Amino acid sequence: MHLFLIIALLVIVSAIYSYINARWLKLPGTIGIMSLAILGSIITIVVDKVDPRSAKYLTLLATNINFSTTVLNIMLGFLLFASAFNLNTKRLKKEMRPVFVLSTIGVIISTAIFGSLLYWITGLLDIKMPYIYCLLFGALVSPTDPVAVGAIITKSKLPNNLETIISGESLFNDGIGLVLFISLLEITQSGVDKIDFSKAVMLFAQEVFGGIALGAVTGFLAHRLMKSINDFQTIVLVSFALVMVNSLVATYLHLSIPLAVVTAGLFAGGRSINVDNNDHSHQALEKFWTLIDEILNTMLFVMIGLQMINFPFLQHYWLSGAIGIIVILAARWCSIMLPLTFLRRSLNVNYGSINILTWAGLRGGISIALALSLPASNHRHFILAGTYFIVIFSIIVQGLTLNKVINAIYKDHAKD
């Protein structure tokens, strides 16, 4: 299918779903569009079996989009930059300790607990699943998705400190989770005996700290460039170039693209670029990136829903989905509770907050993209189907009930 036709169909379908949701359903954007996209995929699958010509274009759209490449190599950088650019850096500095702990130690703990529980449960059910593949499954679903999280918590009644912790964690844990996923994937392909762990640790440090350093340098330089001019068109082009420079350089130097782009967004957006009191360049740029974020969000969740057309094996893996949902919730709760228990005295976080942080840990397109990038194996379909069910459950069920959970825990608290 021609590239322009793919883009045109994706935009048209996104506009139709977005209009239906805004006009009639009136659900939170992410949830409504995802639900409509899944419903559209189910109808397409049914219609395709009866009359393939009627479902031709939606089927072609779903099968011709390389979801993994599109999300990880194209959309992710812009989505992460938009979220980081508009994040309140003053609040982030105040909550940096829990954000750092949850986005690093939390992801590792979640991966380990998820992998261990899954290995134990699949053993009880006589499902042959090697432990390393259980850990690999855990690595791709443990990071929370900043796109899904940001789209839903924006309109929630979360206290400001928890909103900052959830947003900050979801921005940074993608980079850690991605590096952890790649490391575990290499072990599954090469074997534990052939892995040089000292080299692996060095590569991990290079990806993480190199990505942060790259983003800090480029973000600082871009901020200085944008502040030195008042031509808004040029300012927008500089911000676009900032995302692309980080993506290209990080790819070439084998650094973490998510961490580089997030750090660049924080440095570029953390301080105003207004050149005088009458200039509103920074506010206009924030609105521009908010619009880009919302448009790409819509298209991403339409793509997630359309992926159901590509998964004819889903009906055979309901069990993996059910197991995955239960295990990821348990792993998420433990990965928050364990590290924050030690920091509880110095943080404004209680066990009610831990329950909210658990339920607000949504998964999205990044997890599916990583699952789709898995090479062919006897366990790929199990992991891919389980990931898809986890993502659908987290966005629709957790997303729809998040405000109820918050209200139940903070009955007498109003947002600061």
Side-chain angles (χ1 to χ4, degrees):
M1 185 185 282
H2 194 275
L3 178 61
F4 179 76
L5 181 56
I6 294 175
I7 296 172
L9 285 174
L10 183 59
V11 171
I12 292 167
V13 172
S14 299
I16 292 171
Y17 288 163
S18 186
Y19 180 83
I20 292 172
N21 182 59
R23 182 71 175 81
W24 291 292
L25 295 184
K26 301 186 186 300
L27 291 171
T30 300
I31 299 170
I33 290 164
M34 176 94 165
S35 302
L36 286 169
I38 292 171
L39 180 62
S41 295
I42 294 172
I43 294 172
T44 301
I45 292 170
V46 173
V47 171
D48 187 55
K49 291 182 178 179
V50 178
D51 183 10
R53 290 174 298 178
S54 301
K56 175 182 176 182
Y57 287 106
L58 267 183
T59 303
L60 282 174
L61 178 60
T63 54
N64 279 272
I65 293 177
N66 188 326
F67 185 88
S68 183
T69 300
T70 302
V71 172
L72 295 177
N73 295 347
I74 301 174
M75 298 180 75
L76 182 59
F78 291 99
L79 288 166
L80 290 176
F81 180 85
S83 299
F85 188 87
N86 290 320
L87 190 65
N88 189 317
T89 52
K90 291 182 179 178
R91 289 183 188 168
L92 180 62
K93 288 177 182 177
K94 287 175 62 178
E95 308 297 341
M96 200 62 218
R97 287 183 66 193
V99 167
F100 175 77
V101 169
L102 292 178
S103 61
T104 54
I105 298 172
V107 171
I108 295 171
I109 292 174
S110 176
T111 300
I113 293 175
F114 182 96
S116 300
L117 283 176
L118 183 65
Y119 183 70
W120 177 67
I121 293 173
T122 52
L124 290 177
L125 298 174
D126 199 28
I127 300 173
K128 298 185 182 300
M129 188 82 169
Y131 184 58
I132 189 63
Y133 277 93
C134 293
L135 289 174
L136 188 64
F137 192 175
L140 65 89
V141 293
S142 287
T144 53
D145 191 296
V147 180
V149 170
I152 290 173
I153 69 170
T154 301
K155 297 179 180 179
S156 73
K157 298 177 182 179
L158 274 171
N160 283 328
N161 70 312
L162 285 184
E163 184 177 329
T164 303
I165 291 171
I166 293 169
S167 299
E169 178 209 357
S170 65
L171 281 172
F172 285 104
N173 67 13
D174 279 331
I176 304 298
L178 188 57
V179 174
L180 186 60
F181 171 81
I182 293 171
S183 301
L184 289 170
L185 183 60
E186 186 177 345
I187 293 175
T188 62
Q189 294 174 325
S190 304
V192 178
D193 297 337
K194 296 182 180 179
I195 295 295
D196 185 342
F197 286 98
S198 60
K199 184 179 179 181
V201 170
M202 290 297 295
L203 288 174
F204 186 90
Q206 174 186 322
E207 289 260 357
V208 173
F209 297 110
I212 292 173
L214 172 65
V217 172
T218 55
F220 175 78
L221 291 175
H223 179 269
R224 295 295 297 270
L225 290 174
M226 291 187 290
K227 192 169 184 178
S228 66
I229 56 174
N230 55 15
D231 181 65
F232 187 66
Q233 176 183 323
T234 306
I235 290 172
V236 169
L237 284 173
V238 170
S239 67
F240 254 93
L242 176 59
V243 179
M244 295 178 179
V245 163
N246 275 277
S247 298
L248 289 172
V249 175
T251 300
Y252 181 75
L253 297 179
H254 303 289
L255 309 177
S256 171
I257 295 176
L259 288 176
V261 172
V262 167
T263 307
L266 292 173
F267 269 78
R271 293 167 295 164
S272 176
I273 61 171
N274 295 339
V275 294
D276 54 55
N277 293 331
N278 297 320
D279 184 41
H280 301 289
S281 298
H282 194 90
Q283 290 77 7
L285 192 59
E286 285 181 337
K287 291 178 180 178
F288 171 80
W289 278 105
T290 298
L291 179 62
I292 293 294
D293 189 31
E294 291 173 352
I295 292 173
L296 291 180
N297 253 331
T298 301
M299 296 173 68
L300 174 60
F301 285 100
V302 168
M303 288 166 58
I304 292 174
L306 287 172
Q307 286 305 300
M308 183 174 282
I309 297 173
N310 294 331
F311 300 160
F313 53 81
L314 279 178
Q315 59 186 316
H316 304 299
Y317 288 96
W318 287 98
L319 184 59
S320 73
I323 294 172
I325 290 167
I326 295 169
V327 173
I328 192 58
L329 288 174
R332 170 73 177 170
W333 189 86
C334 292
S335 69
I336 296 170
M337 186 274 294
L338 291 175
L340 291 190
T341 295
F342 295 99
L343 298 174
R344 194 179 173 198
R345 291 184 179 180
S346 58
L347 298 174
N348 185 23
V349 177
N350 53 37
Y351 287 109
S353 302
I354 291 173
N355 292 333
I356 291 176
L357 288 167
T358 300
W359 203 245
L362 308 181
R363 276 76 190 173
I366 297 171
S367 293
I368 294 177
L370 290 177
L372 284 168
S373 71
L374 290 170
S377 72
N378 295 332
H379 315 291
R380 185 176 186 270
H381 282 178
F382 183 95
I383 294 174
L384 186 53
T387 302
Y388 199 74
F389 283 118
I390 288 171
V391 169
I392 293 174
F393 178 87
S394 73
I395 293 175
I396 296 179
V397 178
Q398 291 175 232
L400 280 175
T401 57
L402 178 60
N403 272 331
K404 293 180 180 179
V405 173
I406 294 168
N407 291 337
I409 294 174
Y410 287 97
K411 288 181 181 178
D412 302 320
H413 291 253
K415 196 168 183 178
D416 298 339

